[in-house]
Amino acid sequence: MSQTPSPGPAGSSQLIRQLNAQRVLGCMWGREPSTATELMHATGLTRATVLTLCRDLTEQGWLQVSENSRQAGQYTKGRPALRYAFREDACHVIGVDAGLHQVTAAVANLRGVEIGCATRPSNPEGSEAPLQPAPERRRTILDTIDAALAQADLTHADVACLVIAVPAPVDSSGDSPKGLNAFWGLMNPELISLGAEHGWDCAVDNDANLAALAELDLGSGAAEDSFAVILSGERLGAGLVMDGSLLHQSRGGIGELGMLDLVQGVESSNGLGWWARHLAREALKQAPGHAGPLGAVTPEEVTSEHVFAAAEQGDLLALEVIDQLADRLARICVVLAGLLDLDRILVSGAIAPALTDVAARAKHKLAQYLYAPWLRIEASALGADAVRRGAIRLAVDRIKDQALPGAPGA
Amino acid sequence: MSQTPSPGPAGSSQLIRQLNAQRVLGCMWGREPSTATELMHATGLTRATVLTLCRDLTEQGWLQVSENSRQAGQYTKGRPALRYAFREDACHVIGVDAGLHQVTAAVANLRGVEIGCATRPSNPEGSEAPLQPAPERRRTILDTIDAALAQADLTHADVACLVIAVPAPVDSSGDSPKGLNAFWGLMNPELISLGAEHGWDCAVDNDANLAALAELDLGSGAAEDSFAVILSGERLGAGLVMDGSLLHQSRGGIGELGMLDLVQGVESSNGLGWWARHLAREALKQAPGHAGPLGAVTPEEVTSEHVFAAAEQGDLLALEVIDQLADRLARICVVLAGLLDLDRILVSGAIAPALTDVAARAKHKLAQYLYAPWLRIEASALGADAVRRGAIRLAVDRIKDQALPGAPGA
DNA sequence: TGCTTATATTAAGACTCTATATTTAGTCCG
DNA sequence: CGGACTAAATATAGAGTCTTAATATAAGCA
C-alpha cells in the first residue's frame, strides 16, 4: 500500500527520450537539412535511435523529409540517405516593438525570418496631447498585429507565441511597476493579457533587454561573451548579457540607468539623442550667426539628425557636440564595463547608425578612465530593428523550449 | 561498419541512474540521516530504486547506515526502516584566505564544519619592507595549510580539494593578470599549481567573490535573491550574486570597483577603513586639541578602530566621520543596486562588525538618490570569517559536483 | 546481372525504473 | 510463548529506453 508516488505508467524512462528528442530538434532548428549520419555525429546517438527520433518528430510536425537525398553531391556511392529538414513554418510567432511614438509588429517563422510587418503611430511625436489611455494603446497594438498577419497571409490560429517590447521595466509576471512612474503603466497596460485572449503563449519584456537578445542572436562567433546593449534615444536603458545569457531579475529593474545621475560627466539618464539636441541648442544660442551648416536651423528647431548631418560635413560646432557625446558615452561604458568586466558595449536603437563615430571616439577616450584594451565599443548594425528582432528571437526561443513534448500547435 | 560512436556498453541508459544517484545524494548532503520513505517523498522515486541507490552510494563511501533505526521515536509499529546517514568525513577540504597581511587556512569536513584552523602572518602590517616574493608566499600558505591539517589530525591524503582566496581578480584558469598591477601577481603567484603538486582538486578565486558565496550559504530563506557583498578594508572589492548564483567571467574582473573614481562623492576605490582613518586624520589636523575621546591620539596614530570606538562614545568628530562614510556607502549602493536591481547589499570583511551603524545610516541616506525601498543594506554577520567560509563552501561545492561517478577519494 | 557502398531496418541484449506480490523484522497482546 | 499486526525490505515481472549486431535496401558501376 501507499506505494504510488506520482509519475505515470513506466516512470522516468521517457525523460531521456524527451531529452534526446530535444537534442535532435535543437541540432536541426533553423539549420540546413541533415542526414542521420550527420545527426549521429552531432548527438553521439546511434543511427537506429536518431532515425526513430526523426520519425517521431516528423509525425509531430517539427520535421519533414526533403527528397533531395543525394543532392549537393556530398557523395555518390551507396544508398541515398534520408534527409530531414526543419519545418520553419510549423507555426509562427509575433514580435512587437511597442515604443512610445510608434508600434511595430512583425510575423516571423521559426527561423526568425519576418514574413509580415506593420507599423502604426502611437502618441504621435511632437504632439502635446496626453499619452494614450490603456484601452487605446492595446487596440493600437492589436491593429498592428492584425496588419502584420494580413500581410503574411496568416490568421490568429497560425500564431503560437507573442512577445511585446515596452520602454519600461517589466517584472517576471509581465507587469511594469505602477504608481512610482505613471509613464511605465501607460506603456505596459497589462499587455501580457493580450496573449491569453487569443490563446497564444505571451511574454512582455523591456526593450533594451530584447535589443540585447537580438545582438546575442547575431553572435560574434564566441557564444561566451559578455556585453551591454545601450538603447539611447531620448532616455537611456541597458540590457546586460553575461557569458552568453541575459541577466534577468524578478523585479525587472536590471539595466535601469537612473544611477548615472551620480556619475561625473554624465549626471543624467537622458539619451544621446536628447543630449545631441540639447548641447547643439545651447551652443547655437552662445554663437548666433554660426557659419557652418548647423547655422541653417534655429536653436529651437535643431534636432539630433541635424547635428549628426552637420558633423558629417565638418561643422566645427557639431563636431564639438560629437566630442562631448563621446565623452559621456565613454563614462557610461566605464561604469558598466568596469563593474561587470564586459567584452563589448553596443549602442543600439534608431539613432545607432549615426553613432559609429561617437562610439569610436568613446573607445578612444575610455583609456583615460579605465584599463580595458579588450573592450569594444560599437554602434549596433541592427539600429531601429534591434528591439523587434529581439522580441522575435525571444518568441522563437520560447517555442523552442516548450517544443517537446507535443506538436507545434500545442 | 562505422557504427561504434563512443559510449560504452549499454549506452546512455546509465545517465539517468547517475542523475538519480546525484539527486539522492543531494537530498542527504549535510543533512540528518534519512529513511527510504523520506527519500521517496523527496525524490519521487520508488522504494526499490531508492534502496538500490542508497546501497550503491554506501559502497562508494558517500553514505553509511546509522543503526538507530527507530530512534527518535518517529514510529513504533512495523519493521524498522534502514537509516542512511551522509558521511561528512568521506573526505575533507581546505579553504584558505590568503590576504595581504595574513593567511588563514581551515580544514573542513563535507558539511563545511571546520575541524582545524591556522593563521600565519604574511607581509606584516605596518612594515615598510617590499612584498613577499612568490616562493616565500607559497611557502607561507603551505605552512598554514599544514598547521591546520595537524590541528585536525589529518594528512595530505585526506584532502580532496583546496580553494584559495586572494585579494586580486582571478581569471577562469586561476591566474591573476600580471604586468598591469604587480600587486596582483604577488598576491596570486600561480597558486593554482599548489593543488596539482599534492594531487588535490584546486581553485583560486577573488576574495570578494568567495565572501559572496559564504553569504549565499547563510541563505536568507529565499534562494532567489540578488545581492552584492562589498569587502571594505583598505580597498573596495565586490562579489555579485544574481538570482542565487555568483556572477563569473573568464577574465575575472567582475566586481572590480575602479569605476567608482567617476562617482560623485566617492571618487576612489579606497575602502571604508581607509577613509575612516583618512577623514579622522584630516579632521584632527583641522581641530587640534579636540576634546572628545578621539583627541587622545595624534593624527598620525589614528586608526579606523579608534574612530569607531570614539563614535560609540559619542565623539562628535568621530560621528561626523561616520556620517561621511555612510554617505559614501550609500552612493556605492546606488550604483550597484540601481544598475543590477539588487535585493540587498552586505558589507563584509574584518571591519564589518564595526559598520552596523554605518550601514543603517547608508540605508537611510539612499532614498535621496534612488527609489528602492526593498533594498537592505547590512553589515555581514560573518565579518573576518566570510572569505574563508566562502572558500570552504566553494570547495565543498566542487566535491559535490564531481561527486558522481566515483568514490570520494577519486 | 552481379559487385560495391552507404544507408535503413530489424531483432536481440543490457540497463533503467515501476508495479505488484512476497518475505522479513520488529511491536503488541492474549 | 506463540500469533496477529504493521511497515519496511526484497523478489519478480513488465514496460521503456538505448546500443549492438545482423540483415535488408537502394543506389552506382562494371
PDB file of all heavy atoms in Angstrom, chain B residues 17 21 24 36 46-60 63 84, chain C residues 16-18, chain D residues 10-11:
ATOM      1  N   ARG B  17      20.548   6.851 -14.232  1.00  0.00           N
ATOM      2  CA  ARG B  17      20.960   6.299 -12.941  1.00  0.00           C
ATOM      3  C   ARG B  17      21.814   7.310 -12.189  1.00  0.00           C
ATOM      4  O   ARG B  17      21.611   7.581 -11.010  1.00  0.00           O
ATOM      5  CB  ARG B  17      21.742   4.997 -13.161  1.00  0.00           C
ATOM      6  CG  ARG B  17      22.139   4.287 -11.886  1.00  0.00           C
ATOM      7  CD  ARG B  17      20.894   3.844 -11.145  1.00  0.00           C
ATOM      8  NE  ARG B  17      21.156   3.056  -9.974  1.00  0.00           N
ATOM      9  CZ  ARG B  17      21.290   1.725  -9.966  1.00  0.00           C
ATOM     10  NH1 ARG B  17      21.201   1.065 -11.104  1.00  0.00           N
ATOM     11  NH2 ARG B  17      21.487   1.085  -8.856  1.00  0.00           N
ATOM     12  N   ALA B  21      21.106   9.129  -8.698  1.00  0.00           N
ATOM     13  CA  ALA B  21      22.050   8.993  -7.591  1.00  0.00           C
ATOM     14  C   ALA B  21      22.437  10.367  -7.066  1.00  0.00           C
ATOM     15  O   ALA B  21      22.475  10.612  -5.858  1.00  0.00           O
ATOM     16  CB  ALA B  21      23.278   8.214  -8.037  1.00  0.00           C
ATOM     17  N   VAL B  24      19.622  11.794  -5.011  1.00  0.00           N
ATOM     18  CA  VAL B  24      19.557  11.228  -3.667  1.00  0.00           C
ATOM     19  C   VAL B  24      20.668  11.792  -2.797  1.00  0.00           C
ATOM     20  O   VAL B  24      20.437  12.243  -1.672  1.00  0.00           O
ATOM     21  CB  VAL B  24      19.647   9.693  -3.735  1.00  0.00           C
ATOM     22  CG1 VAL B  24      19.864   9.116  -2.347  1.00  0.00           C
ATOM     23  CG2 VAL B  24      18.401   9.121  -4.364  1.00  0.00           C
ATOM     24  N   ALA B  36      14.381   5.405   3.742  1.00  0.00           N
ATOM     25  CA  ALA B  36      13.990   5.280   2.343  1.00  0.00           C
ATOM     26  C   ALA B  36      12.669   5.990   2.092  1.00  0.00           C
ATOM     27  O   ALA B  36      12.487   6.658   1.070  1.00  0.00           O
ATOM     28  CB  ALA B  36      13.891   3.804   1.961  1.00  0.00           C
ATOM     29  N   THR B  46      10.732   5.360  -6.523  1.00  0.00           N
ATOM     30  CA  THR B  46      10.135   4.225  -5.817  1.00  0.00           C
ATOM     31  C   THR B  46      11.065   3.735  -4.707  1.00  0.00           C
ATOM     32  O   THR B  46      12.276   3.978  -4.750  1.00  0.00           O
ATOM     33  CB  THR B  46       9.908   3.075  -6.798  1.00  0.00           C
ATOM     34  OG1 THR B  46       9.346   3.603  -7.976  1.00  0.00           O
ATOM     35  CG2 THR B  46       8.966   2.059  -6.219  1.00  0.00           C
ATOM     36  N   ARG B  47      10.489   3.007  -3.792  1.00  0.00           N
ATOM     37  CA  ARG B  47      11.290   2.449  -2.703  1.00  0.00           C
ATOM     38  C   ARG B  47      12.413   1.573  -3.248  1.00  0.00           C
ATOM     39  O   ARG B  47      13.576   1.725  -2.833  1.00  0.00           O
ATOM     40  CB  ARG B  47      10.397   1.652  -1.756  1.00  0.00           C
ATOM     41  CG  ARG B  47      11.144   0.694  -0.864  1.00  0.00           C
ATOM     42  CD  ARG B  47      10.320   0.193   0.304  1.00  0.00           C
ATOM     43  NE  ARG B  47      10.306   1.136   1.391  1.00  0.00           N
ATOM     44  CZ  ARG B  47       9.251   1.812   1.795  1.00  0.00           C
ATOM     45  NH1 ARG B  47       8.093   1.646   1.191  1.00  0.00           N
ATOM     46  NH2 ARG B  47       9.338   2.646   2.792  1.00  0.00           N
ATOM     47  N   ALA B  48      12.071   0.699  -4.147  1.00  0.00           N
ATOM     48  CA  ALA B  48      13.092  -0.212  -4.675  1.00  0.00           C
ATOM     49  C   ALA B  48      14.266   0.578  -5.250  1.00  0.00           C
ATOM     50  O   ALA B  48      15.433   0.291  -4.970  1.00  0.00           O
ATOM     51  CB  ALA B  48      12.482  -1.113  -5.740  1.00  0.00           C
ATOM     52  N   THR B  49      13.960   1.595  -6.017  1.00  0.00           N
ATOM     53  CA  THR B  49      15.013   2.397  -6.638  1.00  0.00           C
ATOM     54  C   THR B  49      15.855   3.103  -5.585  1.00  0.00           C
ATOM     55  O   THR B  49      17.089   3.054  -5.616  1.00  0.00           O
ATOM     56  CB  THR B  49      14.388   3.431  -7.575  1.00  0.00           C
ATOM     57  OG1 THR B  49      13.462   2.775  -8.426  1.00  0.00           O
ATOM     58  CG2 THR B  49      15.434   4.115  -8.393  1.00  0.00           C
ATOM     59  N   VAL B  50      15.183   3.749  -4.671  1.00  0.00           N
ATOM     60  CA  VAL B  50      15.908   4.486  -3.640  1.00  0.00           C
ATOM     61  C   VAL B  50      16.837   3.557  -2.882  1.00  0.00           C
ATOM     62  O   VAL B  50      18.002   3.889  -2.636  1.00  0.00           O
ATOM     63  CB  VAL B  50      14.911   5.147  -2.672  1.00  0.00           C
ATOM     64  CG1 VAL B  50      15.621   5.646  -1.428  1.00  0.00           C
ATOM     65  CG2 VAL B  50      14.186   6.286  -3.360  1.00  0.00           C
ATOM     66  N   LEU B  51      16.355   2.383  -2.561  1.00  0.00           N
ATOM     67  CA  LEU B  51      17.182   1.488  -1.759  1.00  0.00           C
ATOM     68  C   LEU B  51      18.407   0.999  -2.518  1.00  0.00           C
ATOM     69  O   LEU B  51      19.509   0.932  -1.959  1.00  0.00           O
ATOM     70  CB  LEU B  51      16.345   0.299  -1.285  1.00  0.00           C
ATOM     71  CG  LEU B  51      15.426   0.679  -0.116  1.00  0.00           C
ATOM     72  CD1 LEU B  51      14.433  -0.429   0.163  1.00  0.00           C
ATOM     73  CD2 LEU B  51      16.263   0.962   1.123  1.00  0.00           C
ATOM     74  N   THR B  52      18.229   0.689  -3.789  1.00  0.00           N
ATOM     75  CA  THR B  52      19.414   0.262  -4.538  1.00  0.00           C
ATOM     76  C   THR B  52      20.404   1.421  -4.681  1.00  0.00           C
ATOM     77  O   THR B  52      21.615   1.228  -4.589  1.00  0.00           O
ATOM     78  CB  THR B  52      19.038  -0.264  -5.929  1.00  0.00           C
ATOM     79  OG1 THR B  52      18.167   0.665  -6.556  1.00  0.00           O
ATOM     80  CG2 THR B  52      18.362  -1.606  -5.830  1.00  0.00           C
ATOM     81  N   LEU B  53      19.879   2.622  -4.890  1.00  0.00           N
ATOM     82  CA  LEU B  53      20.780   3.769  -4.982  1.00  0.00           C
ATOM     83  C   LEU B  53      21.532   3.959  -3.673  1.00  0.00           C
ATOM     84  O   LEU B  53      22.745   4.186  -3.662  1.00  0.00           O
ATOM     85  CB  LEU B  53      19.988   5.035  -5.330  1.00  0.00           C
ATOM     86  CG  LEU B  53      19.489   5.130  -6.769  1.00  0.00           C
ATOM     87  CD1 LEU B  53      18.608   6.349  -6.956  1.00  0.00           C
ATOM     88  CD2 LEU B  53      20.668   5.196  -7.712  1.00  0.00           C
ATOM     89  N   CYS B  54      20.822   3.857  -2.567  1.00  0.00           N
ATOM     90  CA  CYS B  54      21.478   4.034  -1.269  1.00  0.00           C
ATOM     91  C   CYS B  54      22.551   2.967  -1.060  1.00  0.00           C
ATOM     92  O   CYS B  54      23.629   3.253  -0.539  1.00  0.00           O
ATOM     93  CB  CYS B  54      20.458   3.968  -0.136  1.00  0.00           C
ATOM     94  SG  CYS B  54      19.495   5.485   0.036  1.00  0.00           S
ATOM     95  N   ARG B  55      22.243   1.766  -1.484  1.00  0.00           N
ATOM     96  CA  ARG B  55      23.223   0.703  -1.319  1.00  0.00           C
ATOM     97  C   ARG B  55      24.487   1.018  -2.129  1.00  0.00           C
ATOM     98  O   ARG B  55      25.605   0.901  -1.642  1.00  0.00           O
ATOM     99  CB  ARG B  55      22.624  -0.633  -1.763  1.00  0.00           C
ATOM    100  CG  ARG B  55      23.490  -1.821  -1.417  1.00  0.00           C
ATOM    101  CD  ARG B  55      22.659  -3.063  -1.207  1.00  0.00           C
ATOM    102  NE  ARG B  55      21.485  -3.079  -2.092  1.00  0.00           N
ATOM    103  CZ  ARG B  55      20.376  -3.769  -1.849  1.00  0.00           C
ATOM    104  NH1 ARG B  55      20.275  -4.490  -0.757  1.00  0.00           N
ATOM    105  NH2 ARG B  55      19.373  -3.748  -2.693  1.00  0.00           N
ATOM    106  N   ASP B  56      24.280   1.465  -3.358  1.00  0.00           N
ATOM    107  CA  ASP B  56      25.429   1.829  -4.186  1.00  0.00           C
ATOM    108  C   ASP B  56      26.239   2.949  -3.536  1.00  0.00           C
ATOM    109  O   ASP B  56      27.464   2.889  -3.464  1.00  0.00           O
ATOM    110  CB  ASP B  56      24.955   2.285  -5.571  1.00  0.00           C
ATOM    111  CG  ASP B  56      24.465   1.115  -6.405  1.00  0.00           C
ATOM    112  OD1 ASP B  56      24.523  -0.025  -5.906  1.00  0.00           O
ATOM    113  OD2 ASP B  56      24.027   1.346  -7.536  1.00  0.00           O
ATOM    114  N   LEU B  57      25.531   3.974  -3.097  1.00  0.00           N
ATOM    115  CA  LEU B  57      26.228   5.124  -2.512  1.00  0.00           C
ATOM    116  C   LEU B  57      26.981   4.719  -1.247  1.00  0.00           C
ATOM    117  O   LEU B  57      28.034   5.284  -0.942  1.00  0.00           O
ATOM    118  CB  LEU B  57      25.218   6.238  -2.197  1.00  0.00           C
ATOM    119  CG  LEU B  57      24.675   6.957  -3.424  1.00  0.00           C
ATOM    120  CD1 LEU B  57      23.512   7.862  -3.066  1.00  0.00           C
ATOM    121  CD2 LEU B  57      25.779   7.779  -4.069  1.00  0.00           C
ATOM    122  N   THR B  58      26.427   3.766  -0.531  1.00  0.00           N
ATOM    123  CA  THR B  58      27.131   3.290   0.656  1.00  0.00           C
ATOM    124  C   THR B  58      28.416   2.569   0.265  1.00  0.00           C
ATOM    125  O   THR B  58      29.480   2.787   0.859  1.00  0.00           O
ATOM    126  CB  THR B  58      26.231   2.347   1.459  1.00  0.00           C
ATOM    127  OG1 THR B  58      25.004   3.015   1.741  1.00  0.00           O
ATOM    128  CG2 THR B  58      26.892   1.951   2.769  1.00  0.00           C
ATOM    129  N   GLU B  59      28.314   1.735  -0.756  1.00  0.00           N
ATOM    130  CA  GLU B  59      29.512   1.046  -1.236  1.00  0.00           C
ATOM    131  C   GLU B  59      30.590   2.028  -1.672  1.00  0.00           C
ATOM    132  O   GLU B  59      31.770   1.815  -1.458  1.00  0.00           O
ATOM    133  CB  GLU B  59      29.162   0.132  -2.412  1.00  0.00           C
ATOM    134  CG  GLU B  59      28.689  -1.255  -2.007  1.00  0.00           C
ATOM    135  CD  GLU B  59      28.278  -2.061  -3.226  1.00  0.00           C
ATOM    136  OE1 GLU B  59      28.752  -1.739  -4.333  1.00  0.00           O
ATOM    137  OE2 GLU B  59      27.479  -3.004  -3.062  1.00  0.00           O
ATOM    138  N   GLN B  60      30.147   3.131  -2.280  1.00  0.00           N
ATOM    139  CA  GLN B  60      31.113   4.106  -2.776  1.00  0.00           C
ATOM    140  C   GLN B  60      31.672   4.971  -1.663  1.00  0.00           C
ATOM    141  O   GLN B  60      32.578   5.762  -1.883  1.00  0.00           O
ATOM    142  CB  GLN B  60      30.460   4.983  -3.836  1.00  0.00           C
ATOM    143  CG  GLN B  60      30.161   4.251  -5.124  1.00  0.00           C
ATOM    144  CD  GLN B  60      29.371   5.116  -6.079  1.00  0.00           C
ATOM    145  OE1 GLN B  60      29.389   6.338  -5.990  1.00  0.00           O
ATOM    146  NE2 GLN B  60      28.647   4.487  -6.984  1.00  0.00           N
ATOM    147  N   LEU B  63      27.696   7.304   1.830  1.00  0.00           N
ATOM    148  CA  LEU B  63      26.704   7.145   2.900  1.00  0.00           C
ATOM    149  C   LEU B  63      27.132   6.026   3.836  1.00  0.00           C
ATOM    150  O   LEU B  63      28.004   5.220   3.519  1.00  0.00           O
ATOM    151  CB  LEU B  63      25.328   6.808   2.309  1.00  0.00           C
ATOM    152  CG  LEU B  63      24.745   7.768   1.290  1.00  0.00           C
ATOM    153  CD1 LEU B  63      23.390   7.273   0.822  1.00  0.00           C
ATOM    154  CD2 LEU B  63      24.625   9.162   1.873  1.00  0.00           C
ATOM    155  N   TYR B  84      19.951   5.798   6.477  1.00  0.00           N
ATOM    156  CA  TYR B  84      21.235   6.108   5.857  1.00  0.00           C
ATOM    157  C   TYR B  84      21.664   7.497   6.288  1.00  0.00           C
ATOM    158  O   TYR B  84      20.851   8.421   6.342  1.00  0.00           O
ATOM    159  CB  TYR B  84      21.131   6.031   4.337  1.00  0.00           C
ATOM    160  CG  TYR B  84      21.014   4.623   3.819  1.00  0.00           C
ATOM    161  CD1 TYR B  84      19.767   4.047   3.605  1.00  0.00           C
ATOM    162  CD2 TYR B  84      22.142   3.867   3.557  1.00  0.00           C
ATOM    163  CE1 TYR B  84      19.655   2.747   3.121  1.00  0.00           C
ATOM    164  CE2 TYR B  84      22.042   2.575   3.080  1.00  0.00           C
ATOM    165  CZ  TYR B  84      20.791   2.024   2.865  1.00  0.00           C
ATOM    166  OH  TYR B  84      20.687   0.739   2.399  1.00  0.00           O
TER     167      TYR B  84
ATOM    168  P    DT C  16      21.581  -0.127 -14.403  1.00  0.00           P
ATOM    169  OP1  DT C  16      22.531   0.786 -13.724  1.00  0.00           O
ATOM    170  OP2  DT C  16      21.268  -1.443 -13.827  1.00  0.00           O
ATOM    171  O5'  DT C  16      20.205   0.637 -14.604  1.00  0.00           O
ATOM    172  C5'  DT C  16      20.210   1.986 -15.053  1.00  0.00           C
ATOM    173  C4'  DT C  16      18.791   2.453 -15.307  1.00  0.00           C
ATOM    174  O4'  DT C  16      18.187   1.610 -16.315  1.00  0.00           O
ATOM    175  C3'  DT C  16      17.840   2.333 -14.133  1.00  0.00           C
ATOM    176  O3'  DT C  16      17.942   3.491 -13.322  1.00  0.00           O
ATOM    177  C2'  DT C  16      16.492   2.295 -14.823  1.00  0.00           C
ATOM    178  C1'  DT C  16      16.785   1.606 -16.143  1.00  0.00           C
ATOM    179  N1   DT C  16      16.303   0.190 -16.203  1.00  0.00           N
ATOM    180  C2   DT C  16      15.043  -0.051 -16.688  1.00  0.00           C
ATOM    181  O2   DT C  16      14.287   0.810 -17.052  1.00  0.00           O
ATOM    182  N3   DT C  16      14.695  -1.376 -16.712  1.00  0.00           N
ATOM    183  C4   DT C  16      15.474  -2.445 -16.316  1.00  0.00           C
ATOM    184  O4   DT C  16      15.055  -3.597 -16.392  1.00  0.00           O
ATOM    185  C5   DT C  16      16.777  -2.104 -15.812  1.00  0.00           C
ATOM    186  C7   DT C  16      17.696  -3.188 -15.342  1.00  0.00           C
ATOM    187  C6   DT C  16      17.136  -0.811 -15.778  1.00  0.00           C
ATOM    188  P    DC C  17      17.337   3.506 -11.854  1.00  0.00           P
ATOM    189  OP1  DC C  17      17.790   4.737 -11.165  1.00  0.00           O
ATOM    190  OP2  DC C  17      17.631   2.181 -11.267  1.00  0.00           O
ATOM    191  O5'  DC C  17      15.757   3.570 -12.071  1.00  0.00           O
ATOM    192  C5'  DC C  17      15.168   4.763 -12.583  1.00  0.00           C
ATOM    193  C4'  DC C  17      13.728   4.450 -12.989  1.00  0.00           C
ATOM    194  O4'  DC C  17      13.750   3.233 -13.777  1.00  0.00           O
ATOM    195  C3'  DC C  17      12.809   4.181 -11.807  1.00  0.00           C
ATOM    196  O3'  DC C  17      11.792   5.180 -11.693  1.00  0.00           O
ATOM    197  C2'  DC C  17      12.166   2.849 -12.090  1.00  0.00           C
ATOM    198  C1'  DC C  17      12.628   2.457 -13.462  1.00  0.00           C
ATOM    199  N1   DC C  17      13.034   1.015 -13.461  1.00  0.00           N
ATOM    200  C2   DC C  17      12.193   0.081 -14.077  1.00  0.00           C
ATOM    201  O2   DC C  17      11.144   0.467 -14.607  1.00  0.00           O
ATOM    202  N3   DC C  17      12.545  -1.223 -14.067  1.00  0.00           N
ATOM    203  C4   DC C  17      13.679  -1.613 -13.484  1.00  0.00           C
ATOM    204  N4   DC C  17      13.991  -2.902 -13.513  1.00  0.00           N
ATOM    205  C5   DC C  17      14.552  -0.666 -12.849  1.00  0.00           C
ATOM    206  C6   DC C  17      14.199   0.624 -12.858  1.00  0.00           C
ATOM    207  P    DT C  18      10.783   5.041 -10.447  1.00  0.00           P
ATOM    208  OP1  DT C  18      10.188   6.386 -10.300  1.00  0.00           O
ATOM    209  OP2  DT C  18      11.476   4.388  -9.332  1.00  0.00           O
ATOM    210  O5'  DT C  18       9.666   4.023 -10.950  1.00  0.00           O
ATOM    211  C5'  DT C  18       8.801   4.404 -12.005  1.00  0.00           C
ATOM    212  C4'  DT C  18       7.834   3.267 -12.328  1.00  0.00           C
ATOM    213  O4'  DT C  18       8.578   2.041 -12.507  1.00  0.00           O
ATOM    214  C3'  DT C  18       6.788   2.994 -11.247  1.00  0.00           C
ATOM    215  O3'  DT C  18       5.506   3.029 -11.836  1.00  0.00           O
ATOM    216  C2'  DT C  18       7.136   1.602 -10.740  1.00  0.00           C
ATOM    217  C1'  DT C  18       7.874   0.981 -11.910  1.00  0.00           C
ATOM    218  N1   DT C  18       8.888  -0.062 -11.570  1.00  0.00           N
ATOM    219  C2   DT C  18       8.658  -1.368 -11.928  1.00  0.00           C
ATOM    220  O2   DT C  18       7.663  -1.747 -12.499  1.00  0.00           O
ATOM    221  N3   DT C  18       9.660  -2.235 -11.572  1.00  0.00           N
ATOM    222  C4   DT C  18      10.842  -1.929 -10.918  1.00  0.00           C
ATOM    223  O4   DT C  18      11.679  -2.781 -10.653  1.00  0.00           O
ATOM    224  C5   DT C  18      11.005  -0.535 -10.574  1.00  0.00           C
ATOM    225  C7   DT C  18      12.241  -0.090  -9.862  1.00  0.00           C
ATOM    226  C6   DT C  18      10.033   0.330 -10.907  1.00  0.00           C
TER     227       DT C  18
ATOM    228  P    DT D  10      16.930  -5.184   1.467  1.00  0.00           P
ATOM    229  OP1  DT D  10      18.165  -5.806   1.972  1.00  0.00           O
ATOM    230  OP2  DT D  10      16.959  -3.952   0.689  1.00  0.00           O
ATOM    231  O5'  DT D  10      16.147  -6.278   0.620  1.00  0.00           O
ATOM    232  C5'  DT D  10      15.814  -7.528   1.219  1.00  0.00           C
ATOM    233  C4'  DT D  10      14.920  -8.347   0.303  1.00  0.00           C
ATOM    234  O4'  DT D  10      13.663  -7.670   0.121  1.00  0.00           O
ATOM    235  C3'  DT D  10      15.479  -8.581  -1.097  1.00  0.00           C
ATOM    236  O3'  DT D  10      15.667  -9.970  -1.268  1.00  0.00           O
ATOM    237  C2'  DT D  10      14.408  -8.029  -2.040  1.00  0.00           C
ATOM    238  C1'  DT D  10      13.171  -7.995  -1.150  1.00  0.00           C
ATOM    239  N1   DT D  10      12.148  -6.982  -1.506  1.00  0.00           N
ATOM    240  C2   DT D  10      10.904  -7.399  -1.939  1.00  0.00           C
ATOM    241  O2   DT D  10      10.596  -8.567  -2.047  1.00  0.00           O
ATOM    242  N3   DT D  10      10.023  -6.375  -2.229  1.00  0.00           N
ATOM    243  C4   DT D  10      10.259  -5.018  -2.135  1.00  0.00           C
ATOM    244  O4   DT D  10       9.396  -4.202  -2.428  1.00  0.00           O
ATOM    245  C5   DT D  10      11.574  -4.652  -1.681  1.00  0.00           C
ATOM    246  C7   DT D  10      11.929  -3.210  -1.546  1.00  0.00           C
ATOM    247  C6   DT D  10      12.461  -5.646  -1.389  1.00  0.00           C
ATOM    248  P    DA D  11      16.397 -10.504  -2.600  1.00  0.00           P
ATOM    249  OP1  DA D  11      17.153 -11.706  -2.204  1.00  0.00           O
ATOM    250  OP2  DA D  11      17.075  -9.391  -3.293  1.00  0.00           O
ATOM    251  O5'  DA D  11      15.156 -10.975  -3.487  1.00  0.00           O
ATOM    252  C5'  DA D  11      14.179 -11.821  -2.909  1.00  0.00           C
ATOM    253  C4'  DA D  11      13.052 -12.075  -3.900  1.00  0.00           C
ATOM    254  O4'  DA D  11      12.191 -10.913  -3.943  1.00  0.00           O
ATOM    255  C3'  DA D  11      13.515 -12.321  -5.332  1.00  0.00           C
ATOM    256  O3'  DA D  11      12.799 -13.435  -5.855  1.00  0.00           O
ATOM    257  C2'  DA D  11      13.157 -11.035  -6.062  1.00  0.00           C
ATOM    258  C1'  DA D  11      11.945 -10.547  -5.284  1.00  0.00           C
ATOM    259  N9   DA D  11      11.737  -9.108  -5.304  1.00  0.00           N
ATOM    260  C8   DA D  11      12.636  -8.137  -4.993  1.00  0.00           C
ATOM    261  N7   DA D  11      12.167  -6.907  -5.075  1.00  0.00           N
ATOM    262  C5   DA D  11      10.860  -7.089  -5.470  1.00  0.00           C
ATOM    263  C6   DA D  11       9.809  -6.183  -5.731  1.00  0.00           C
ATOM    264  N6   DA D  11       9.928  -4.872  -5.633  1.00  0.00           N
ATOM    265  N1   DA D  11       8.612  -6.696  -6.106  1.00  0.00           N
ATOM    266  C2   DA D  11       8.493  -8.022  -6.205  1.00  0.00           C
ATOM    267  N3   DA D  11       9.398  -8.979  -5.988  1.00  0.00           N
ATOM    268  C4   DA D  11      10.569  -8.436  -5.610  1.00  0.00           C
TER     269       DA D  11
END
